[in-house]
Amino acid sequence: MIENKIIFTGPVGVGKTTAIAALSDDPPVQTDASASDMTQVRKGYTTVAMDYGVIRLDENHKVHLYGTPGQERFDFMWGILSKGSMGLILLLDNTRANPFKDLQFFLTSFSDLIHDAPIVIGITKMDLSSQPGIESYQQYLAQHGLNVPVFEVDARSEDDVKQLVTAMLYSIDPGLRG
Ligand SMILES: Nc1nc2c(ncn2[C@@H]2O[C@H](COP(=O)(O)OP(=O)(O)OP(=O)(O)O)[C@@H](O)[C@H]2O)c(=O)[nH]1
Ligand SMILES: [Mg+2]
């Protein structure tokens, strides 16, 4: 049995929980709590520990998907979830004030993992805010010496999220079936 572990990270509300739910073959495990006391969270619920889902590509190939909490107050989970991870999917929310700042922040926070494992980036909510465009992200990454695939995704779309995971599996092992 080939088992891959991939983690999803990114800022609050970017769509980590939504993406894993859209993709998982089994009902996802979620640890969302009411966010009514958390002023920075503009939606009802926020992840406090992790998300978990699984996809079976074929009889002997499973991909385990873990989502981090977005809020920095739960960042102690980030290192725990990174352990043994074979790749990082970073989601960025195009409606946030400064997505490039978010990008820099997550590249720094996960620098140990990125040092050893591939990263794929998905930009969400481009239907709500079309700027910055994909090429701006690619330019920014190239300027920082990073050759990373960047996709426009809607976290609610199984196909969009699958595209990210497929790109990730190819980065991990070009011989793997997506
Ligand atoms: N319009 C639009 N909405 C989106 C898109 N992607 C995700 N969403 C919505 O954005 C919200 C994302 O919420 P979550 O999935 O809880 O976000 P999260 O990243 O898990 O947030 P935390 O756990 O708080 O860090 C949901 O309401 C989604 O329906 C998109 O591309 N366009
Ligand atoms: Mg969440």
Side-chain angles (χ1 to χ4, degrees):
M1 177 74 85
I2 304 170
E3 310 218 12
N4 290 92
K5 170 181 174 180
I6 292 176
I7 59 175
F8 283 71
T9 196
V12 171
V14 69
K16 302 172 295 292
T17 300
T18 305
I20 289 175
L23 202 56
S24 185
D25 288 339
D26 296 344
V29 178
Q30 298 175 347
T31 61
D32 278 26
S34 166
S36 53
D37 62 325
M38 302 176 198
T39 48
Q40 60 163 315
V41 180
R42 272 170 291 169
K43 60 204 167 71
Y45 290 87
T46 189
T47 303
V48 297
M50 59 180 269
D51 302 298
Y52 171 74
V54 65
I55 357 174
R56 287 174 199 82
L57 297 180
D58 56 44
E59 274 170 23
N60 14 334
H61 194 173
K62 260 190 203 178
V63 184
H64 301 275
L65 312 167
Y66 289 85
T68 68
Q71 293 192 65
E72 280 178 68
R73 59 190 262 190
F74 303 122
D75 66 1
F76 60 91
M77 284 302 297
W78 298 358
I80 294 172
L81 293 172
S82 292
K83 279 227 171 76
S85 177
M86 289 158 165
L88 180 71
I89 293 181
L90 172 59
L91 298 179
L92 296 171
D93 177 342
N94 234 29
T95 65
R96 286 190 28 115
N98 191 343
F100 289 105
K101 201 171 151 205
D102 295 334
L103 172 58
Q104 193 53 60
F105 174 78
F106 283 95
L107 290 177
T108 305
S109 301
F110 286 87
S111 58
D112 286 354
L113 177 59
I114 295 167
H115 186 260
D116 300 323
I119 169 171
V120 171
I121 296 179
I123 314 297
T124 69
K125 305 192 188 175
M126 292 193 83
D127 55 315
L128 302 174
S129 170
S130 62
Q131 295 303 318
I134 296 292
E135 13 16 272
S136 309
Y137 288 101
Q138 280 161 342
Q139 241 166 46
Y140 180 96
L141 289 159
Q143 279 161 8
H144 290 76
L146 294 167
N147 178 21
V148 174
V150 186
F151 298 94
E152 170 175 356
V153 296
D154 186 322
R156 299 165 296 183
S157 156
E158 182 179 356
D159 284 349
D160 286 8
V161 185
K162 204 172 235 168
Q163 188 182 28
L164 290 177
V165 172
T166 303
M168 173 53 69
L169 293 175
Y170 274 114
S171 302
I172 293 171
D173 178 354
L176 282 178
R177 252 189 61 185

